[in-house]
Amino acid sequence: MTISERLHISKVPRHVAIIMDGNGRWAARHGSVRTIGHEQGIEAVRSTVEGAGEIGIDYLTLFAFSTENWYRPVEEVNALMSLLVHAIDAETDNLMKNNVRVTVIGETSKLPEHVRLKLMGCVDRLKNNTGLTVIFALSYSSKWEITEAARKIASDVLEGKVNPDDINNQLFEKYLSTSGIPDPELLIRTSGEYRISNFLLWQIAYAELYFTEVLWPDFRKEDLFRAIQAFQDRERRFGLTSEQITS
Ligand code: IPE
Ligand code: IPE
Ligand code: MG
């Protein structure tokens, strides 16, 4: 039996989020420059998206570039931007064929104009697809997203559209960039780092966390399936007792 056949299809998470880390270390281990690691990371994205579609995941959020990543050396930032453009050119047809929809969360106004337009073109072309939704977090940080939400709520209060007494979890979520998308049940981080790095802090409040030593460029759909298998072996209690869950 293959690993994907061993998964309980009825218990596949609807939403999986991944912090794709370790490209630089992969490159160093292969005696290459960091950019080569990022290039190799695209193959990992391709395989993971394919695997997610195969087992019926609805949403896959991929952390591709953080707000903090803007402070990397300018050559690396530029290389990442051109890689993004190349990846969109190379992959959009295939995503279309596989009925994949793409959306983006993050401060996209910070992206160079040509990159932003390319991205929006891809999102637009795939917008009527009904299969897996891949959400790219680009120029994203969770504190930015939560602060933005707070700002918009404050402005709606000032305009009389929101009553402060009505601000609760459900209302707050509507102001996040993930509005309408179920929270990720599973968060994966590659490369043996054990931190969240400002990613989806609100949305992962009750996610299962899975860390793997695999460097992102080596990650394949089988690694995704392994993470889901580990997820399926866990008991999610949401504050209740085990007896309450199983009875
Ligand atoms: C992840 O790999 C890709 C981005 C953050 C853009 P890194 O570039 O962080 O690789 P390491 O962590 O230095 O190995
Ligand atoms: C997190 O990885 C951001 C992305 C994967 C895009 P980083 O490599 O930037 O995070 P830190 O620096 O290890 O926290
Ligand atoms: Mg890193």
Side-chain angles (χ1 to χ4, degrees):
M1 234 191 337
T2 66
I3 177 139
S4 67
E5 286 164 352
R6 277 202 300 273
L7 295 176
H8 304 286
I9 286 304
S10 63
K11 275 174 65 189
V12 165
R14 284 196 71 195
H15 185 174
V16 175
I18 308 184
I19 302 174
M20 310 185 288
D21 198 14
N23 297 354
R25 278 161 286 166
W26 186 95
R29 275 181 214 173
H30 289 78
S32 307
V33 290
R34 297 179 57 83
T35 321
I36 301 293
H38 296 314
E39 261 174 48
Q40 293 299 314
I42 293 179
E43 189 51 46
V45 172
R46 194 181 295 128
S47 173
T48 304
V49 167
E50 203 177 279
E54 278 168 21
I55 57 169
I57 290 173
D58 291 330
Y59 300 94
L60 177 69
T61 300
L62 300 175
F63 202 5
F65 192 83
S66 72
T67 301
E68 292 79 10
N69 291 150
W70 286 117
Y71 300 101
R72 289 195 178 187
V74 67
E75 300 76 27
E76 179 165 349
V77 171
N78 289 342
L80 281 164
M81 292 298 137
S82 13
L83 201 59
L84 185 58
V85 169
H86 285 301
I88 294 169
D89 282 336
E91 302 297 333
T92 308
D93 282 350
N94 206 26
L95 294 171
M96 189 73 197
K97 228 178 284 161
N98 291 321
N99 198 21
V100 174
R101 203 158 65 100
V102 166
T103 63
V104 180
I105 56 171
E107 202 174 5
T108 47
S109 59
K110 276 190 156 184
L111 295 170
E113 183 70 357
H114 76 285
V115 177
R116 205 176 53 79
L117 290 175
K118 177 67 77 180
L119 197 60
M120 292 308 132
C122 165
V123 168
D124 193 57
R125 195 169 151 218
L126 306 177
K127 70 170 186 280
N128 294 323
N129 287 346
T130 54
L132 169 71
T133 297
V134 180
I135 302 156
F136 282 101
L138 277 168
S139 189
Y140 174 89
S141 81
S142 193
K143 287 193 176 181
W144 163 81
E145 178 188 34
I146 292 171
T147 312
E148 278 301 297
R151 191 202 318 281
K152 286 180 203 144
I153 293 172
S155 137
D156 281 356
V157 167
L158 272 180
E159 288 177 28
K161 292 184 194 156
V162 169
N163 179 340
D165 291 337
D166 294 337
I167 301 174
N168 56 19
N169 273 358
Q170 286 72 27
L171 182 126
F172 199 89
E173 273 170 2
K174 291 204 174 85
Y175 285 83
L176 294 172
S177 28
T178 49
S179 167
I181 298 167
D183 285 343
E185 295 102 315
L186 171 65
L187 172 74
I188 299 171
R189 183 169 187 147
T190 59
S191 85
E193 301 292 357
Y194 297 85
R195 58 179 165 266
I196 303 299
S197 302
N198 214 349
F199 189 46
L200 300 178
L201 297 176
W202 173 286
Q203 296 88 339
I204 60 165
Y206 248 113
E208 295 298 324
L209 308 181
Y210 178 90
F211 298 97
T212 169
E213 296 296 318
V214 175
L215 300 174
W216 181 252
D218 288 330
F219 196 88
R220 290 295 177 272
K221 61 171 97 165
E222 291 74 20
D223 297 293
L224 171 71
F225 299 155
R226 258 188 282 280
I228 293 173
Q229 194 170 38
F231 167 85
Q232 294 186 336
D233 286 342
R234 296 185 192 179
E235 182 179 65
R236 305 189 74 206
R237 289 189 290 278
F238 299 100
L240 305 183
T241 66
S242 188
E243 290 70 25
Q244 286 176 294
I245 300 297
T246 48
S247 70

